[in-house]
Amino acid sequence: MTIDTPRAGQPAATAAEAVQASVRQHISEGRLLPGQRLVDQALAEEFGVSRNTVREAMRLLAADGLVASVRNAGYSVRTLTTGDVHDIYTARRLLETGAILKSASAPDALLADVDQAASASEQHVLSGDWNRAATASLDFHRAVVRMAGSTRVDAFFHNLVAQLRLAFAVMPDESAFQIQWVGRDRQIADLILAGRRDEATALMNDYLNDSETQIIDGVRAAERARH
Amino acid sequence: MTIDTPRAGQPAATAAEAVQASVRQHISEGRLLPGQRLVDQALAEEFGVSRNTVREAMRLLAADGLVASVRNAGYSVRTLTTGDVHDIYTARRLLETGAILKSASAPDALLADVDQAASASEQHVLSGDWNRAATASLDFHRAVVRMAGSTRVDAFFHNLVAQLRLAFAVMPDESAFQIQWVGRDRQIADLILAGRRDEATALMNDYLNDSETQIIDGVRAAERARH
DNA sequence: GTTGACAAGATTGTTGAGCAATCTGTAGAT
DNA sequence: ATCTACAGATTGCTCAACAATCTTGTCAAC
């Protein structure tokens, strides 16, 4: 692992935040796989910071649920159980369908974001880049949740999605898994924009149920393979 | 401030977590008021731990939104703006009404918890203890959200409520503010238990709107009083 | 009286070394 | 094969120190 150049958006005010952001990004991009151990001494040397600084970053990541910690034994990239996946999808159903129902009172700009995110996702599929398509699809869902109008809910959902990526990483064929959703994103977006909210929520529920089923199968297979 | 004896439930595995839990509790109970500065050197001495340990606790509290931090200037108990209050109530409307709609598929035990929490709240009003009544009322709302069936949503809502307490603290007459809700909690609980979910969500929405209005007025008054 | 510049103090951000507690894995004894 | 004891690894935490930066108080200029 190497130190990332600070992202343009957030200049990473402190060293601990830079470490946190970098490790989080590595996890999101699948460069750090679930179960991977994170030894603070080693991280400190790689990032060129002190152990205390790494520890602060690890604590924050652990609070976010991305890193598991066992006292006096070590940190590691979290491995999600099937129970975790179900919990995350239960939360997604609540937030995403709820946000659709509240879309009646959402400002036009947020509706436009939803439309745009669905289109961006389609573009990446056409150009065959499933990895970007997957990211764009998640951005679409974040745009949906943003319609609810709460920055705190946005942040929570953002973290939920980051955790979900831990499960994506263990899917046997992630490209085939990811590509199938894009068309459904478009359908949901159209129903939202048309104001047909009940149909949109129904479709969203189907989507989430199907996605959950597949991921739980994948996680279960990975669990068995580990033993 | 003094060091709390570790709570029975969670033995506070590490020193940093003990500090975090203690400061959080002090904030919840109104012993630390919004704007109060939290100097790590001073906290370290009071808790008998090192500065680094206090810093880790402050970072976690800042991530939770309970503590504000300005680089090289200091930590302080967060002061909520009217925008923050609105954001929190927008989140509450989404989560609480959504949870009620999902109560159809909630296990009986969780419904029983909702009933019990509403009753406990009433009891404390009868015995005139508005402070406990307020806590019990919030517990009722947490029980409602728990019906949604996601531990991650529970934790998020728990934190949301903790932030809201920052606003309660600046209400001119908190006892009068708190007592008025208890009867409505009971009504909502009865509608949920009767399976009249649409009426329950409508009543919940009214409740949250009224509560938001009053708190925003209180926060606005406190803002003016500060200048 | 208000404004602005400047210096002094306070506080955080971070480092680096060090020690105790505890987990993990290994080698040996039964 | 199972259990035990030991050694190594890793975390949790402390302490002292220094640089960067924010805040406050002072003083002069307008």
Side-chain angles (χ1 to χ4, degrees):
Chain A
M1 191 189 326
T2 56
I3 303 177
D4 285 325
T5 53
R7 288 174 302 177
Q10 290 129 331
T14 71
E17 279 161 26
V19 173
Q20 184 199 7
S22 180
V23 173
R24 164 177 276 141
Q25 199 169 347
H26 276 76
I27 291 175
S28 278
E29 294 170 359
R31 282 189 275 173
L32 279 172
L33 296 178
Q36 174 77 245
R37 296 206 51 188
L38 301 169
V39 179
D40 61 8
Q41 182 73 261
L43 288 176
E45 287 172 15
E46 289 177 37
F47 281 93
V49 299
S50 80
R51 257 187 73 209
N52 280 322
T53 302
V54 172
R55 278 173 51 73
E56 286 186 7
M58 290 295 119
R59 267 243 156 78
L60 291 170
L61 289 167
D64 280 349
L66 294 177
V67 161
S69 81
V70 181
R71 191 182 162 94
N72 295 314
Y75 295 103
S76 58
V77 179
R78 183 160 180 185
T79 303
L80 293 187
T81 65
T82 54
D84 288 320
V85 174
H86 178 64
D87 196 90
I88 291 170
Y89 272 91
T90 300
R92 286 191 69 177
R93 278 185 284 269
L94 180 68
L95 297 182
E96 301 196 43
T97 62
I100 290 174
L101 292 178
K102 299 235 185 302
S103 65
S105 53
D108 288 345
L110 292 182
L111 288 171
D113 286 349
V114 168
D115 184 38
Q116 214 163 2
S119 302
S121 185
E122 287 179 310
Q123 286 299 319
H124 286 121
V125 166
L126 288 178
S127 59
D129 190 341
W130 67 264
N131 210 333
R132 277 175 199 236
T135 300
S137 177
L138 290 177
D139 283 343
F140 164 72
H141 288 270
R142 283 175 56 189
V144 169
V145 170
R146 217 177 308 131
M147 291 191 303
S150 163
T151 61
R152 284 166 176 77
V153 169
D154 291 351
F156 174 59
F157 187 76
H158 183 56
N159 181 251
L160 225 47
V161 166
Q163 287 186 51
L164 203 50
R165 293 236 165 173
L166 294 172
F168 288 174
V170 302
M171 292 299 282
D173 183 359
E174 192 177 345
S175 70
F177 168 74
Q178 295 290 2
I179 288 179
Q180 63 184 318
W181 311 116
V182 174
R184 291 171 103 167
D185 287 348
R186 183 73 259 174
Q187 284 179 45
I188 294 169
D190 289 339
L191 287 172
I192 292 172
L193 293 170
R196 293 156 69 183
R197 280 176 281 281
D198 288 339
E199 296 165 70
T201 56
L203 202 56
M204 178 64 90
N205 249 318
D206 292 345
Y207 169 109
L208 291 171
N209 288 335
D210 291 350
S211 178
E212 176 182 356
T213 302
Q214 289 191 34
I215 293 192
I216 283 187
D217 284 345
V219 169
R220 196 168 281 147
E223 279 173 0
R224 265 199 282 270
R226 208 171 307 121
H227 295 296
Chain B
M1 191 189 325
T2 57
I3 303 178
D4 284 327
T5 54
R7 287 175 301 177
Q10 289 128 332
T14 70
E17 279 161 25
V19 173
Q20 184 198 6
S22 180
V23 173
R24 164 176 276 139
Q25 200 169 347
H26 276 76
I27 291 174
S28 279
E29 293 171 0
R31 281 189 276 173
L32 279 171
L33 295 178
Q36 174 78 246
R37 297 204 53 187
L38 300 169
V39 179
D40 60 9
Q41 182 73 260
L43 289 176
E45 286 171 16
E46 290 178 37
F47 282 93
V49 298
S50 80
R51 258 188 72 210
N52 279 324
T53 301
V54 172
R55 279 175 50 74
E56 286 185 6
M58 290 296 119
R59 268 243 154 79
L60 290 170
L61 289 167
D64 280 348
L66 293 177
V67 160
S69 80
V70 180
R71 191 182 160 95
N72 294 313
Y75 295 102
S76 58
V77 179
R78 183 160 181 185
T79 303
L80 293 187
T81 65
T82 54
D84 288 321
V85 173
H86 178 64
D87 196 90
I88 291 170
Y89 272 92
T90 300
R92 287 190 68 177
R93 277 185 286 268
L94 180 68
L95 298 182
E96 300 195 42
T97 61
I100 290 174
L101 292 178
K102 299 238 186 298
S103 65
S105 53
D108 288 344
L110 291 182
L111 289 170
D113 286 348
V114 168
D115 184 39
Q116 213 163 5
S119 301
S121 185
E122 287 179 311
Q123 286 298 320
H124 286 120
V125 166
L126 288 178
S127 59
D129 190 341
W130 67 265
N131 210 333
R132 278 175 198 236
T135 299
S137 178
L138 290 177
D139 283 343
F140 164 72
H141 289 270
R142 284 175 55 190
V144 169
V145 170
R146 218 177 306 133
M147 291 191 303
S150 164
T151 60
R152 283 166 176 77
V153 169
D154 291 351
F156 174 58
F157 187 76
H158 183 57
N159 181 250
L160 226 46
V161 166
Q163 288 186 51
L164 204 49
R165 294 234 165 176
L166 294 172
F168 288 174
V170 302
M171 293 299 282
D173 183 359
E174 192 176 347
S175 71
F177 168 74
Q178 294 291 3
I179 288 178
Q180 63 184 319
W181 312 116
V182 174
R184 290 170 103 168
D185 288 349
R186 182 74 259 171
Q187 284 179 47
I188 295 169
D190 288 339
L191 287 171
I192 292 172
L193 292 170
R196 293 155 71 181
R197 279 177 282 281
D198 287 339
E199 296 165 72
T201 56
L203 201 56
M204 178 64 90
N205 249 318
D206 292 345
Y207 169 108
L208 291 171
N209 288 334
D210 290 350
S211 178
E212 176 182 356
T213 302
Q214 290 192 32
I215 293 191
I216 283 186
D217 284 345
V219 169
R220 196 168 281 148
E223 279 173 1
R224 266 200 280 271
R226 209 170 306 121
H227 296 296

